Amino acid sequence: MDALTSAQLEAFRKGMEPYVVFNEAEWIVFIQHITLHNFKKKQLFAEAGKVCNHFGFVLKGSVRYYHIKDGVDITGYFSFENEFVSSYKSFLTGEPATNYIEALEPSQIIIISKKNMELMLNNPMLAYKMERFGRLVAEHYLICYEERISSFITQTPEERYLKLLQTGREILQRMPQHYIANFLGITPVSLSRIRKRILVEK
Amino acid sequence: MDALTSAQLEAFRKGMEPYVVFNEAEWIVFIQHITLHNFKKKQLFAEAGKVCNHFGFVLKGSVRYYHIKDGVDITGYFSFENEFVSSYKSFLTGEPATNYIEALEPSQIIIISKKNMELMLNNPMLAYKMERFGRLVAEHYLICYEERISSFITQTPEERYLKLLQTGREILQRMPQHYIANFLGITPVSLSRIRKRILVEK
DNA sequence: TCAAAACGTTAACAAAAGATAAGAATTTAG
DNA sequence: CTAAATTCTTATCTTTTGTTAACGTTTTGA
């Protein structure tokens, strides 16, 4: 846990703009409830079996969400810079998480603990904006997830991959292929075949 | 669009309790922003290509979310009594919906238009509770969707069906099997085979 | 720097799912 | 009440995916 530089604070403030804009007085109180954590590569942000009592904002770096099923690591999602990160279900319900989240590279993550989130939600000075903030963040992910579920319902793995080629620049550029395969709901071997099929068809 | 009986209002108030509790003054203003609609079987609540400018609460009945892909109807989700219903992405972003929502039986749905939602979010008397309400509803679906995505990533269709047997009482009892198949991300023929496989294995 | 680990492709085979069609049972609607 | 539509199962065939293993390449970390 480290002190935040003013540049980091500015980046955070700007990154949150789509979700919440604080005035100066609010900001001063708000930043008393956040901490900066430096994660080493592979360091865990959340762990299956443990309650995830915090959520974060990726200031620098990236994280990978994964499950372990029958001893096998299966990647479910990623968060990159300027995105939020949490094992949401665990954070929101207080139940143990069922997935892991790890830093994929040395990462700076701003963290708000559940306790501090609740303090702010109960602080008259911040309550309204924090409720709104929570709503907009949840809605943002709701939309992402709705689209992702649609893709599993209506598309074949090949169609999902072709769609990712159009829209998933960051994932394609920064993630190894076997993570992408898991993300698409298939095995790495199968994705390798799909890629070959697409090449031949062209 | 019909007038709400006091019994219906009470049922609505109670159904929303997990998300929002209004005092009497707030409630009086709130209910000026809602309407009751009676849907006939197969009547559309939302339509692909059109913006979904409303969201609802299923007071009685049930609805089905579906896509049409290459002329084929694919069921993605259901909402039952005491659940919310909307083509959320469209409602939240103002973009045209990509899916349809239809009543599966004669249904009573309480509707809040986008315009009225915005009026309430901007009304100082209700703003805080409406932000909170929106947050809790969005978080509720976020959790549902997160679990659903996990199931596509980590489970086989057979495992998803077995899980549904344990937890999906309402869907299993009330939905025809080909809707359930789509919901699980497979074809009706495939679900029929899975069911046979499970019987034989027992 | 160098051995170990991770990564992507390919092959071979098994298992599962998709597509299509046919037929029986059930439900729906006029 | 009855014809039409819907639903579910089954069969056949094709396509795709999963599994396992091997191999060369690249990356990683001590």
Side-chain angles (χ1 to χ4, degrees):
Chain A
M1 193 176 102
D2 300 276
L4 280 131
T5 67
S6 59
Q8 287 169 333
L9 277 174
E10 246 346 277
F12 180 40
R13 197 170 188 174
K14 186 151 176 104
M16 288 206 308
E17 262 174 26
Y19 307 99
V20 64
V21 177
F22 293 112
N23 65 34
E24 293 312 308
E26 290 162 349
W27 180 249
I28 286 169
V29 177
F30 175 74
I31 61 175
Q32 286 165 8
H33 295 83
I34 67 175
T35 53
L36 174 67
H37 289 249
N38 282 289
F39 285 78
K40 295 175 194 162
K41 185 172 180 176
K42 295 196 182 176
Q43 189 178 339
L44 290 178
F45 177 92
E47 193 170 352
K50 297 188 180 174
V51 176
C52 179
N53 273 315
H54 50 287
F55 86 100
F57 179 88
V58 181
L59 209 54
K60 199 152 192 58
S62 55
V63 301
R64 174 174 79 98
Y65 298 61
Y66 64 99
H67 289 78
I68 297 205
K69 188 196 177 194
D70 306 328
V72 180
D73 170 328
I74 302 175
T75 298
Y77 201 60
F78 312 96
S79 290
F80 300 103
E81 284 167 24
N82 279 335
E83 295 179 347
F84 296 96
V85 49
S86 187
S87 195
Y88 297 105
K89 188 191 174 188
S90 176
F91 178 74
L92 295 172
T93 66
E95 296 167 19
T98 55
N99 65 311
Y100 299 79
I101 304 176
E102 68 166 17
L104 283 165
E105 51 193 314
S107 300
Q108 296 167 357
I109 302 182
I110 287 176
I111 287 183
I112 304 181
S113 68
K114 176 118 182 169
K115 183 178 282 181
N116 277 340
M117 190 69 196
E118 282 167 358
L119 281 175
M120 289 190 281
L121 284 167
N122 291 313
N123 176 342
M125 185 183 182
L126 293 181
Y128 168 74
K129 285 208 178 164
M130 292 310 290
E131 290 290 352
R132 182 176 174 83
F133 172 53
R135 174 171 74 87
L136 294 174
V137 171
E139 285 176 357
H140 171 78
Y141 283 99
L142 192 67
I143 290 170
C144 294
Y145 288 7
E146 191 176 86
E147 289 191 310
R148 184 118 182 259
I149 291 172
S150 283
S151 80
F152 283 116
I153 294 290
T154 64
Q155 297 184 301
T156 63
E158 180 167 335
E159 288 169 330
R160 289 200 290 280
Y161 178 65
L162 288 170
K163 182 80 177 288
L164 192 68
L165 283 181
Q166 293 167 11
T167 62
R169 201 162 299 279
E170 190 143 34
I171 289 177
L172 290 169
Q173 283 175 359
R174 295 175 63 174
M175 293 301 140
Q177 200 168 300
H178 63 291
Y179 290 169
I180 296 173
N182 291 163
F183 174 76
L184 294 170
I186 57 179
T187 61
V189 176
S190 193
L191 178 55
S192 186
R193 283 189 290 231
I194 286 172
R195 284 161 53 86
K196 189 175 185 183
R197 224 152 58 206
I198 291 170
L199 276 180
V200 173
E201 281 164 11
K202 271 187 181 167
Chain B
M1 193 175 103
D2 299 277
L4 280 132
T5 68
S6 59
Q8 286 170 333
L9 276 174
E10 246 344 280
F12 180 40
R13 197 169 187 173
K14 187 152 174 100
M16 288 204 309
E17 261 173 28
Y19 306 98
V20 62
V21 177
F22 292 112
N23 65 34
E24 294 311 308
E26 290 162 349
W27 179 249
I28 286 169
V29 176
F30 176 73
I31 62 175
Q32 287 165 5
H33 294 83
I34 66 174
T35 54
L36 175 68
H37 289 248
N38 282 289
F39 284 79
K40 296 175 193 162
K41 185 171 178 175
K42 295 195 182 177
Q43 190 178 337
L44 291 178
F45 177 92
E47 193 172 351
K50 297 187 181 177
V51 176
C52 180
N53 273 315
H54 50 287
F55 86 100
F57 179 88
V58 181
L59 210 55
K60 200 153 193 56
S62 56
V63 301
R64 174 175 79 98
Y65 300 58
Y66 65 99
H67 289 78
I68 297 205
K69 189 198 178 194
D70 306 329
V72 179
D73 171 329
I74 302 175
T75 299
Y77 202 61
F78 312 98
S79 290
F80 300 104
E81 283 167 26
N82 279 336
E83 294 180 348
F84 296 96
V85 48
S86 188
S87 194
Y88 297 103
K89 189 191 174 189
S90 175
F91 178 74
L92 295 172
T93 65
E95 295 168 19
T98 55
N99 65 311
Y100 299 80
I101 305 177
E102 68 167 17
L104 282 164
E105 52 194 312
S107 300
Q108 295 167 358
I109 302 182
I110 287 176
I111 286 182
I112 304 181
S113 68
K114 178 116 183 171
K115 185 178 282 184
N116 277 340
M117 190 68 197
E118 283 167 358
L119 281 175
M120 290 190 282
L121 285 167
N122 289 314
N123 176 341
M125 185 183 184
L126 293 180
Y128 168 74
K129 284 208 179 165
M130 292 309 291
E131 291 289 351
R132 183 176 174 83
F133 172 54
R135 173 172 74 88
L136 294 174
V137 171
E139 285 176 358
H140 172 77
Y141 283 98
L142 191 67
I143 290 169
C144 293
Y145 289 5
E146 191 176 86
E147 289 191 311
R148 186 118 180 262
I149 291 170
S150 284
S151 79
F152 283 116
I153 295 290
T154 64
Q155 296 184 301
T156 63
E158 180 166 336
E159 288 169 332
R160 289 201 289 279
Y161 178 65
L162 288 169
K163 181 80 176 288
L164 193 67
L165 283 180
Q166 294 167 10
T167 62
R169 202 161 299 280
E170 190 143 34
I171 288 177
L172 289 169
Q173 284 174 359
R174 295 174 65 176
M175 293 300 140
Q177 201 168 298
H178 63 289
Y179 289 169
I180 296 172
N182 291 161
F183 174 75
L184 294 170
I186 57 180
T187 61
V189 176
S190 192
L191 178 55
S192 186
R193 282 189 292 233
I194 287 171
R195 283 160 54 84
K196 189 176 185 183
R197 222 152 59 205
I198 291 170
L199 277 180
V200 174
E201 280 165 13
K202 271 187 179 168

